[in-house]
Structures are given as structure tokens and as C-alpha cells.
Amino acid sequence: KNEVEQSPQNLTAQEGEFITINCSYSVGISALHWLQQHPGGGIVSLFMLSSGKKKHGRLIATINIQEKHSSLHITASHPRDSAVYICAVLIRDDKIIFGKGTRLHILP
Amino acid sequence: DAGVIQSPRHEVTEMGQEVTLRCKPISGHNSLFWYRQTMMRGLELLIYFNNNVPIDDSGMPEDRFSAKMPNASFSTLKIQPSEPRDSAVYFCASSFVNEQYFGPGTRLTVT
């Protein structure tokens, strides 16, 4: 079993829909990252969080440490949100474990 | 700051050749990470440095891979000899406190 599991693996939605991507992990962590990888390959860090909730524009990330679960939400989704979203957990000594990613496709 | 800089952006080489990938971290960052991304395995951590010292190289696939960080502003990842299964995108990232900033990656193709 992978230490970091993301769901769904692939998601296609219509423009404007509310999107939720989930990440569950089985190890103790110090922080969790949500990354966005665009079709061109570049990786951008969206959020780093260790508790609660963070919001940036139309993106919201939440984490429940007790349940070892995080969600990334996109409100009013847009075709430019189409990308691969990767959950990564930071464990001791700066070691990081990645999920397999969720490929999101927003249709106009 | 220009962000994390990697070179080359693309590399095509024949198997058996030596390949050197380069990374310049963001100034002031004290940790540097090398990652490999493939379709089959996703993103994998190869090695990371803290204050120029290798901390964890357990992700380095085999002895053909080596990484150095001679100073705070430069790191190399070397593959010698290269094999077709090394074809991947190699990312470098740097951080100061936990949050990592990724470089644009080097797409390596070994034929």
C-alpha cells in the first residue's frame, strides 16, 4: 500500500464546477504540500499546510491531522485549472513522499 | 530572484554516455533536492542536501547515479554510464523552511 494515496486519479468536469481532490496518508507528517504540474511540465507549490485550512484565490486546502487526510478544492473551475495536482507529505528530516497525482481536465 | 535554475532543459544522449545535470538553488535556501519523474513511478526523491551536505541518498537508484553540492549555489546530478531506463524528467528544488520551490526540470532521453 502506498503511503500517500490520492483520489480520484483522473477527473473531468465542466467549467464552473466545484472540484475536490483528496489525499490520504499513513505516516506521521510535519507538513503536507499540494503541487500543481501544468501540461508543459512545470511544478508550482500551491499550499504547504500542517493544520486547518488555507485559501488562495479559488483554491482551498484543508487538512485533518487526526484522520490523516487532506483535500484540495477548486471553486468556479476554469479550463486553465487543467493540470496534474500532486499531494506530497513531509516527514522527518525533510524527507518527502509524493502521491501519484490527480489529472484534472476542465471542459469549457 | 530568478527561482531555481536547471540546465540543460533538454538532453538527448546515447546509452553509455555520461550525463551531468546542473542546478542553481534560490539564494539563501539551505536545502536542495533532486527528484526524478517518470510515467510509471511518478515523482521520486533521489537525494537531498542540507547546508551542502548529503542527508539522504536512499532514493538514488544505483551506483551509476551520483550527486554533489560543492557550494551553496550549485549542485550536479551525474549519471555514468547512462541507460535508456534513465529517461525521465529530473527536477531540482530548494527550500529554506519546508516549502520547496521547483526548477523547470531537465528532460533526459537516453537512446
Side-chain angles (χ1 to χ4, degrees):
Chain A
K1 187 182 186 302
N2 294 327
E3 292 167 301
V4 180
E5 296 274 2
Q6 284 187 239
S7 63
Q9 288 186 334
N10 295 282
L11 178 58
T12 298
Q14 291 292 140
E15 182 174 357
E17 286 190 39
F18 181 81
I19 303 299
T20 296
I21 299 171
N22 296 300
C23 176
S24 296
Y25 53 92
S26 58
V27 294
I29 70 169
S30 57
L32 181 144
H33 295 264
W34 280 103
L35 308 173
Q36 180 191 54
Q37 185 169 28
H38 283 285
I43 297 176
V44 174
S45 178
L46 298 174
F47 295 103
M48 186 190 69
L49 63 167
S50 53
S51 65
K53 174 180 173 178
K54 285 190 176 181
K55 185 176 188 294
H56 182 70
R58 295 180 294 107
L59 300 176
I60 303 167
T62 64
I63 188 168
N64 185 317
I65 296 294
Q66 286 73 31
E67 295 185 3
K68 296 187 175 178
H69 181 268
S70 176
S71 293
L72 176 68
H73 305 286
I74 306 175
T75 61
S77 59
H78 190 277
R80 65 174 176 265
D81 297 326
S82 298
V84 176
Y85 293 84
I86 302 168
C87 170
V89 298
L90 192 69
I91 58 177
R92 69 186 187 290
D93 296 333
D94 281 340
K95 187 157 187 173
I96 190 164
I97 305 172
F98 293 92
K100 297 293 187 190
T102 295
R103 186 174 297 277
L104 175 65
H105 187 202
I106 302 297
L107 302 172
Chain B
D1 201 311
V4 177
I5 299 172
Q6 288 187 248
S7 65
R9 295 293 308 277
H10 301 273
E11 177 80 33
V12 180
T13 190
E14 292 182 348
M15 67 176 293
Q17 297 296 309
E18 177 180 297
V19 174
T20 300
L21 311 181
R22 296 173 177 81
C23 175
K24 183 180 188 307
I26 292 173
S27 177
H29 283 191
N30 60 354
S31 293
L32 183 140
F33 305 79
W34 281 102
Y35 297 97
R36 178 173 67 176
Q37 185 179 41
T38 61
M39 290 293 292
M40 290 294 294
R41 300 171 68 91
L43 266 168
E44 302 172 279
L45 175 66
L46 299 177
I47 184 171
Y48 80 93
F49 297 83
N50 188 255
N51 293 323
N52 312 339
V53 176
I55 301 300
D56 184 354
D57 66 354
S58 58
M60 296 284 262
E62 42 196 284
D63 291 345
R64 298 184 296 107
F65 286 68
S66 62
K68 294 182 180 179
M69 192 165 185
N71 57 62
S73 59
F74 183 67
S75 177
T76 59
L77 177 68
K78 186 175 292 187
I79 309 172
Q80 166 65 19
S82 58
E83 296 183 2
R85 59 194 168 115
D86 302 330
S87 297
V89 180
Y90 291 82
F91 288 98
C92 174
S94 70
S95 73
F96 177 62
V97 180
N98 286 348
E99 184 146 16
Q100 297 190 19
Y101 295 80
F102 284 78
T106 295
R107 183 173 295 276
L108 173 65
T109 303
V110 183
T111 61

